[in-house]
Amino acid sequence: MNKVRTRFAPSPTGRMHVGNLRTALYAYLIARHAGGDFILRVEDTDQERFVAEALDIIYRTMEKTGLVHDEGPDKDGGYGPYVQSERTASGLYLKYAKQLVEQGDAYYCFCDKERLASLKTSVSSDGTEIVNYDKHCLGLSKEEVEANLKEGKPWVIRLNVPNEGTTTFHDEIYGDITVPNEELDDMILIKSDGYPTYNFANVIDDHLMEITHVVRGNEYLSSAPKYNRLYEAFGWKVPVYVHCPLITDENHKKLSKRCGHSSYEDLLEQGFVSEAIVNFVALLGWCPDDNREIFSLEELVEAFDYRHMSKSPAVFDTVKLKWMNGEYFKAMEPERFCEMAKPYIKEVVTKDFDVAKIAELVRTRIEVLPDIKEQVDFFEEVPEYDISMYTHKKMKTDAEKSLALLKEVLPVLEVQEEFGNDALFEVLKAYAGEKGYKIGYVMWPLRTAVSGKQNTPGGATEIMDVLGKEESLARIRKAIEKLEGCLA
């Protein structure tokens, strides 16, 4: 068997859509699982949609996600160039298109826009409206074609698809698909600007680069029979096709740019980590044998089998992605998490507190990085709060009892020299035991006093550890004044 070779062939038109990332990931996993090669090829034939900086986005995304290619524009493996515009400049695609013309499998078309606009439309077997080119230029003699070319008349080259019979195409996920040839339009191979169409360039490049497995979205299923006709016309071996299911949002609508989380960079900006995104995207249409959900990239390589992919649309479940992201934070090294959390902490906490300690308080309590801000903003300043917050039925405390407790415990804390979390906890635990209080009865009023919040990352002693002795005592004294004023 030939060595497995897969490719990811993005168009540089903007940020990388989640669907494109999944295509790249699956192609990478198929190659790596089989010990094969993974190729990056840039398809920039659509000059109208070309975005210069998008090439940098592609490289950056591949690097961040760990999808390292073996060959590409920056790594020549002997099959280059790996950028279609460079291949076009060499006349490569035109040469193969002219070969098909000579064989009678393609022809020059000189029809103008007005004539094409007047052609009738029909409805395919799946309900899609299609424009059927009427093969008008197929009937031109060789002399007429040469005269038109000499005259400089605009032209395209079209594939000559028979009107009768059927074309059958095999996909590893969807099985055999048979399409009536009358539904297959004579697609354009070379456009009027001299560039090949996406479909034609794909076939030529995949063959010349010896691609064994082609991975792409199922929106290309309808084009697949045309690819087969090209392979047959050239007498080339057809690669293994793996079409991925559609990705939808939670409302089962196609995932679009308007949904806000359609691209890899959108998700990074929303506070998701790269490893969690890759893990989540891997499960959009594929399920392992054991229904496991957390995988490193190396573990995905080991477990991935494209035969376990689903035909059904995959739902982009944001709730699940957030949960998964939270799991990655929990497993993350504290130092790495601190670096990621630092900008979010500094946005709301300008005082000179230990950022590493604050980060560690929130690491296991958040799902996305922006969640940090509302969790830690009280370190900057205690928010305005109602004294009813001191009431806690389970702790059997209220504003009056809390005031008494804070007054009692303040002198204990004032003489406490070691203000770290462990030391504070031991002192307060001993104090509660001495007074016959439950530990929560002591901690609840203190936590409310130093944070002004009911829900905080960490308990009273962890918060005071960050605040330090001076700030903690100042906040407790202020809380006493507030309670006295309200209860007077």
Side-chain angles (χ1 to χ4, degrees), residues 206-223:
D206 285 343
H207 171 73
L208 295 179
M209 293 182 179
E210 298 182 16
I211 302 302
T212 60
H213 293 66
V214 173
V215 184
R216 57 176 161 236
N218 72 353
E219 64 267 28
Y220 293 106
L221 269 175
S222 60
S223 302

Side-chain angles (χ1 to χ4, degrees), residues 319-344:
V319 172
K320 182 175 179 180
L321 174 56
K322 284 185 175 181
W323 164 80
M324 188 175 282
N325 204 57
E327 293 301 301
Y328 272 85
F329 286 146
K330 289 172 186 173
M332 194 176 284
E333 288 293 321
E335 294 78 14
R336 184 186 169 203
F337 179 77
C338 181
E339 282 305 305
M340 298 177 79
K342 194 172 185 177
Y344 296 89

Side-chain angles (χ1 to χ4, degrees), residues 4-9 20-33 36-39 67 213-216 242 244 304:
V4 169
R5 286 173 61 83
T6 66
R7 51 76 168 171
F8 174 49
N20 287 341
L21 176 59
R22 183 185 62 178
T23 298
L25 176 60
Y26 285 5
Y28 173 87
L29 295 176
I30 289 171
R32 290 287 177 267
H33 185 80
D37 295 329
F38 174 59
I39 293 96
L67 306 183
H213 293 66
V214 173
V215 184
R216 57 176 161 236
V242 181
C244 310
F304 191 77

